Amino acid sequence: MDKSSKIYIAGHRGLVGSAIVENLKSKGYINLLTRTHKELELTNQKAVESFFETEKPDYVILAAAKVGGIVANNVYRADFIYENMMIQNNVIHQSYKHNVKKLLFLGSTCIYPKNAPQPMKEEYLLTDTLEYTNEPYAIAKIAGIKMCESYNLQYGTNFISVMPTNLYGPNDNFDLEKSHVLPALIRKIYLAKLLNESDFDTVKKNLGVDTTQEAIDYLKSFGVSSNSVEIWGSGKPKREFLWSKDMADACVFIMENRNFSDTFDKDQKEIRNTHINIGTGIDISIKELALTIKEIIGFEGKLVFNTEKPDGTMKKLTDVTKLNELGWKHTVELEEGIKKVYDWYVTNN
Ligand SMILES: NC(=O)C1=CN([C@@H]2O[C@H](COP(=O)(O)OP(=O)(O)OC[C@H]3O[C@@H](n4cnc5c(N)ncnc54)[C@H](OP(=O)(O)O)[C@@H]3O)[C@@H](O)[C@H]2O)C=CC1
Ligand SMILES: C[C@H]1O[C@H](OP(=O)(O)OP(=O)(O)OC[C@H]2O[C@@H](n3cnc4c(=O)[nH]c(N)nc43)[C@H](O)[C@@H]2O)[C@@H](O)[C@@H](O)C1=O
């Protein structure tokens, strides 16, 4: 990529997209193309076609998707499969039609089987049954990988897929129902601490409600009170977390250094599993995560585990050998990242 190449970052206001824009700017890329969801509905085939026809980007980073935590994935199953398939079909196909030089597709490590051997290597894709709670989302992401591979093989495009582990950082979604575990626990534990300190004005402002009773009732429905916080599931599942700015750096590194033709052996007859895992290779249980967040925030109440809520996959640790061998490694460890994102959250809410 030249510094003046026209690079379209789809989803530039999201957790990952915003970090990618910042990373590209810091490296001197000056011709970044962005559209908000309101300006360009990526599920709309005609709108996406007309955008590519007019703008003709040189490179595309596809960080727009319907994204959410375990409960959102499990409840809004149709939306997750439909919107993700439509977004990626439209963007990948128009990138082919308009001669985009390279595209980066962002998948997720939930593409791997529920009981995959650990750590999970790229070649474990499609070897067994998926985790039920996010099966529709995972199927959409698998279709995206296969779409990139198929266009590359049939049409000679240069579309690369990366499979990130669970991500966190500034501009994340902190919704108590729909978000991922790390932002949800930061917000729940922070609000419990404020309740404990009787700082009701900050609680009301955070929740956008008028009365203290409304705030208390609302938080109670999520198991948050002045002396306890509900954690979904048993606390036993393990997750691996990557700082969003490290994720962005890995994406730009791959855009700068990797082509589809580097991802398979020339003598290979059946070309598959060309995607690349992105993670730290380190995981932690949800209980340990909650205790770390509690310690950082300084909340002294109890953690209550609600086993009526799903655990999801018990373990999904990525094997990052491929990525490390390319010369990239994460830089921000979890505790440091939690402190940064907690500071960001308090400053911005
Ligand atoms: N967060 C995580 O832990 C993980 C994320 N990923 C993947 O990384 C990528 C980025 O995720 P993340 O940054 O967390 O997601 P976010 O939800 O933070 O951001 C998604 C972005 O996509 C845009 N968007 C969503 N739907 C549409 C649509 N129909 N048309 C146009 N724009 C749309 C949103 O635009 P707007 O802001 O304007 O509404 C938003 O900017 C996704 O592919 C996701 O699947 C993979 C593994 C883990
Ligand atoms: C990135 C990944 O994200 C999703 O998968 P997930 O890793 O299971 O997602 P999660 O972050 O929501 O939960 C992780 C664990 O944490 C537990 N947990 C405790 N307490 C809260 C809580 O308060 N909120 C949430 N969300 N989870 C909680 C929760 O019960 C689970 O055991 C995929 O659907 C898919 O989108 C995907 O690819």
Side-chain angles (χ1 to χ4, degrees), residues 203-232:
V203 174
K204 283 189 284 181
K205 182 172 165 261
N206 182 288
L207 297 174
V209 297
D210 296 328
T211 67
T212 301
Q213 197 55 47
E214 264 180 284
I216 290 173
D217 291 345
Y218 180 75
L219 287 174
K220 197 173 164 202
S221 71
F222 287 97
V224 177
S225 72
S226 61
N227 56 14
S228 73
V229 171
E230 178 182 293
I231 311 295
W232 295 352

Side-chain angles (χ1 to χ4, degrees), residues 66-74 80 107-111 131 133-134 137 164-167 175-185 188 222 230-235 237-239 241 286 289 305 309-313 316:
K66 170 91 177 165
V67 181
I70 190 165
V71 165
N73 269 267
N74 200 18
F80 272 82
S108 162
T109 52
C110 67
I111 58 155
E131 154 62 26
T133 52
N134 54 33
Y137 172 79
T165 185
N166 295 42
L167 307 166
D175 182 90
L176 295 178
E177 182 207 352
K178 295 181 184 157
S179 66
H180 289 105
V181 60
L182 199 150
L185 293 191
K188 287 202 276 193
F222 287 97
E230 178 182 293
I231 311 295
W232 295 352
S234 63
K238 290 188 134 186
R239 293 291 184 274
F241 297 96
I286 297 302
L289 174 75
F305 293 89
K309 296 279 186 195
D311 268 340
T313 313
K316 50 171 178 175

Side-chain angles (χ1 to χ4, degrees), residues 13-16 37 40-42 63-65 106-107 137 141 165 167:
R13 292 199 306 187
L15 169 69
V16 180
H37 190 161
L40 176 60
E41 173 53 66
L42 291 172
L106 272 64
Y137 172 79
K141 293 295 188 184
T165 185
L167 307 166

Side-chain angles (χ1 to χ4, degrees), residues 65-98:
K66 170 91 177 165
V67 181
I70 190 165
V71 165
N73 269 267
N74 200 18
V75 172
Y76 306 104
R77 300 176 78 85
D79 300 345
F80 272 82
I81 192 162
Y82 172 75
E83 290 178 35
N84 284 313
M85 299 225 10
M86 293 298 282
I87 292 171
Q88 66 204 38
N89 283 351
N90 289 336
V91 174
I92 295 170
H93 186 66
Q94 291 308 325
S95 294
Y96 150 64
K97 295 279 272 186
H98 293 91

